[in-house]
Amino acid sequence: MSRRKSGGGYGGQAGSGARKHSGRGTGAGAAAKTREDAPFQKNEEVTVDIIGLTHDGEGVGRANGFTLFIQGALPGEQVRAKVMKVKKQYGYARLEERLIESKDRIAPPCDIFDKCGGCQLQHFDYSAQLEWKRQHVIDSLTRIGKLRVAGEAGANGEEAGGIVVHSTVGMEDPWRYRNKAQVPVGASGGAGGELIAGFYARGSHRIIDMDDCLIQHDRNDEVVRAVKTIGRELGISSYDEESGKGLLRHVMARTGFVTGEIMVVLVTNGRKLPQADEWIARIREALPGVKSIVQNVNMKDTNAVFGDETRVLWGSEVIYDELDGIRFAISARSFYQVNPVQTVELYRKTVEYAGLTGVESVIDAYCGIGTISLFLARQAGRVYGVEIVPEAIEDAKSNAELNGIANATFEAGPAEIVIPRWREEGVIADVIVVDPPRKGCDPALLDTILKMKPERVVYVSCNPSTLARDLRLLEDGGYRTMEVTPVDMFPWTVHVECCSLLVRKDN
Ligand code: SAH
């Protein structure tokens, strides 16, 4: 099973699968030169002080000058652990007993936290988690970006002051926050068994059945339970990764928090959905709020959830939801932030950082269905949105119309190609907002930003590492990072979202 390393967890979060550690920033590497020199042998029991948490949420332990990664251990703890794997400069150990416990340790409220790949930090007090996320951002900015953060040691050539990294904006009630569940379907006990749907066990693609997820909106859990029951009653087969046989691969449920509208997507390994009418009738009966039932066809041997073909089985092609009084149509394949409560916080911060007075020309790169664009448009002169997924741009255009917003225009295509062309066509940007996927901005886009010289750049990022890398490039090109606000979009997971403000140094 080499091609499927990383577990996905319930709800499509990037899971904590098997992975390599670079050892960077963890203090690894001081002691051993070769595996034979490592101070430990496999299966040895050791006492370890935990000095940090990796970006995947594993405890970073130090013993005899050697680094051991220990799942489930928290900073400040001392643990007894069994060495499982020894590499040249670091190793992995299994937690056996906590000798000294962190004051921030809590009992994980979910009973399957140990097995599930979805959450990584349910054993960590929420406010400590928020502080850890802020520190993780600071560490990325200083180590990867070689940026100076106000109040932190290790300044590197920047002018006095440094970037103000604010406290992480947390949730008052950090549970049941997700509006989207993306759940793999399998069979209990392997191919041919009873239909199950749930989550990938941590670090694998073994599906474990589950009916209730504490970070998921109740209605999404309801959808998944209903689809599972209906699938069992109709005798539907589940997709088997090994053989490539079987029909149902994933269930996706999306709920509009404000509108209560529900979309159900059945991802199938094949175009034909046997007993389609029966499916539709039973889903509608079980879930009165359902507005849209969609089939997506994915016949490829791939980790990607969706295939290219999507068709509406019943109802509308989209569901609607609202953020801060703006209404959005969302189709099955479009990106829409999964935590609507915190999305409003993030977008308000983005608009604040854009510093608009009603006349500015603003570019929103990686705009999705135009969510940030429309928030900006309420306070700007003109907004130009660009996004690579054509369906999302269709949604963005109808969303502008739906809200009577006439000063936003949208174009489908790669930001790094469309924006340079806009520049040649004479488009001027006072502010450029970017909100790229995890891999960060394309270098060609960063280069174009430097050429267009907007007064401000607002960088919204879901990955502190690529954020730090890109901020360094923008700093070298004449911008100064003023402020960074982490916003907790994914409580109990290791994910960190940030909103950053950059201004031109010559201003
Ligand atoms: N700002 C939006 C979407 C952010 S997610 C929101 O908050 O909802 C990042 C988006 O970038 C996704 O919609 C993805 O489809 C899009 N994307 C990925 N690569 C891109 C590229 N090269 N050019 C433009 N958009 C891209």
Side-chain angles (χ1 to χ4, degrees):
M1 283 261 300
S2 59
R3 74 205 151 88
R4 299 180 192 279
K5 279 263 178 64
S6 140
Y10 186 78
Q13 282 292 330
S16 52
R19 70 186 72 78
K20 292 197 181 85
H21 280 283
S22 64
R24 176 169 39 72
T26 57
K33 294 277 182 303
T34 66
R35 196 172 302 196
E36 291 67 41
D37 292 342
F40 303 116
Q41 301 299 319
K42 196 178 163 187
N43 291 327
E44 198 175 327
E45 294 234 341
V46 284
T47 299
V48 192
D49 291 315
I50 308 299
I51 55 162
L53 212 54
T54 67
H55 61 275
D56 299 311
E58 289 166 319
V60 180
R62 292 286 282 171
N64 291 354
F66 191 73
T67 298
L68 286 169
F69 297 106
I70 305 174
Q71 174 79 46
L74 289 174
E77 294 190 326
Q78 190 180 67
V79 303
R80 191 166 56 79
K82 189 169 181 177
V83 177
M84 305 308 289
K85 203 181 213 178
V86 182
K87 301 261 194 180
K88 263 189 200 167
Q89 308 200 318
Y90 58 87
Y92 296 88
R94 194 177 65 208
L95 189 118
E96 299 282 314
E97 188 190 354
R98 292 187 296 270
L99 304 170
I100 299 172
E101 279 210 347
S102 162
K103 65 174 180 15
D104 296 323
R105 175 172 289 278
I106 56 167
C110 174
D111 352 308
I112 49 167
F113 169 63
D114 283 350
K115 302 185 204 110
C116 178
C119 293
Q120 300 82 36
L121 300 176
Q122 278 197 16
H123 57 317
F124 200 23
D125 171 72
Y126 188 57
S127 50
Q129 223 179 95
L130 294 176
E131 183 43 37
W132 174 74
K133 289 188 182 190
R134 172 176 182 266
Q135 194 56 46
H136 174 41
V137 172
I138 292 173
D139 291 348
S140 301
L141 295 176
T142 53
R143 288 176 185 156
I144 300 171
K146 304 278 178 263
L147 292 154
R148 193 182 130 108
V149 170
E152 289 288 310
N156 204 344
E158 305 300 314
E159 294 93 318
I163 304 167
V164 177
V165 178
H166 295 280
S167 300
T168 308
V169 179
M171 293 188 82
E172 230 165 84
D173 175 14
W175 298 103
R176 301 265 176 216
Y177 60 81
R178 286 185 63 99
N179 60 16
K180 185 177 94 165
Q182 213 160 265
V183 183
V185 178
S188 71
E194 179 173 71
L195 197 89
I196 56 172
F199 61 92
Y200 293 123
R202 195 167 273 157
S204 88
H205 261 231
R206 191 164 51 90
I207 296 169
I208 298 181
D209 198 35
M210 178 177 52
D211 284 327
D212 192 26
C213 171
L214 300 181
I215 61 168
Q216 201 53 258
H217 193 292
D218 306 0
R219 274 198 296 266
N220 290 337
D221 279 342
E222 229 178 283
V223 171
V224 176
R225 282 196 300 266
V227 167
K228 214 174 347 188
T229 307
I230 298 165
R232 282 174 190 163
E233 283 169 7
L234 296 181
I236 298 296
S237 60
S238 61
Y239 177 69
D240 174 44
E241 274 182 3
E242 295 301 319
S243 66
K245 296 212 171 80
L247 185 67
L248 195 54
R249 290 179 76 131
H250 272 85
V251 186
M252 195 263 252
R254 201 179 240 162
T255 287
F257 270 42
V258 174
T259 60
E261 296 189 3
I262 299 171
M263 175 182 274
V264 183
V265 183
L266 304 175
V267 183
T268 56
N269 173 35
R271 282 194 186 84
K272 196 166 150 33
L273 179 66
Q275 311 173 74
D277 291 342
E278 199 56 32
W279 265 112
I280 294 165
R282 292 195 191 199
I283 290 176
R284 288 181 61 197
E285 193 189 313
L287 307 159
V290 75
K291 282 282 178 311
S292 166
I293 307 175
V294 173
Q295 180 188 6
N296 174 271
V297 182
N298 185 358
M299 286 154 52
K300 290 193 189 135
D301 174 19
T302 165
N303 267 349
V305 172
F306 291 104
D308 294 331
E309 238 179 282
T310 306
R311 67 182 178 115
V312 177
L313 293 172
W314 176 86
S316 164
E317 203 174 322
V318 297
I319 57 165
Y320 292 92
D321 195 22
E322 259 177 56
L323 296 172
D324 209 17
I326 306 183
R327 213 168 155 78
F328 294 100
I330 311 147
S331 53
R333 297 298 315 282
S334 293
F335 178 89
Y336 183 63
Q337 292 285 359
V338 299
N339 182 335
V341 171
Q342 291 299 86
T343 299
V344 171
E345 299 292 327
L346 180 74
Y347 291 176
R348 282 185 185 154
K349 189 50 78 179
T350 306
V351 173
E352 179 196 318
Y353 281 173
L356 303 172
T357 64
V359 296
E360 291 80 4
S361 168
V362 186
I363 290 179
D364 179 17
Y366 308 91
C367 72
I369 61 170
T371 41
I372 293 178
S373 315
L374 298 189
F375 268 66
L376 294 163
R378 293 197 285 199
Q379 295 179 44
R382 171 146 293 281
V383 176
Y384 301 87
V386 56
E387 155 66 42
I388 205 162
V389 175
E391 292 92 331
I393 285 296
E394 288 313 307
D395 287 349
K397 286 177 181 166
S398 49
N399 287 332
E401 212 172 336
L402 188 67
N403 292 282
I405 293 175
N407 60 339
T409 47
F410 296 97
E411 187 171 328
E416 62 276 16
I417 292 180
V418 173
I419 297 176
R421 206 195 62 237
W422 284 348
R423 175 173 171 256
E424 275 163 30
E425 289 166 6
V427 171
I428 286 168
D430 300 304
V431 181
I432 297 184
V433 176
V434 297
D435 181 9
R438 290 188 65 75
K439 68 176 185 207
C441 289
D442 191 286
L445 173 64
L446 295 173
D447 190 51
T448 305
I449 293 175
L450 297 179
K451 287 184 181 140
M452 289 182 93
K453 296 189 176 10
E455 302 282 329
R456 291 171 175 232
V457 175
V458 183
Y459 195 132
V460 180
S461 160
C462 56
N463 182 347
S465 309
T466 55
L467 171 69
R469 179 201 68 196
D470 291 350
L471 292 185
R472 169 43 57 205
L473 238 137
L474 291 169
E475 291 259 349
D476 292 344
Y479 282 83
R480 180 179 304 145
T481 313
M482 307 300 291
E483 292 181 48
V484 177
T485 301
V487 177
D488 193 25
M489 302 285 274
F490 312 100
W492 315 106
T493 79
V494 291
H495 297 279
V496 191
E497 189 93 16
C498 285
C499 187
S500 312
L501 167 64
L502 295 95
V503 297
R504 246 169 54 202
K505 281 186 193 161
D506 60 6
N507 260 5

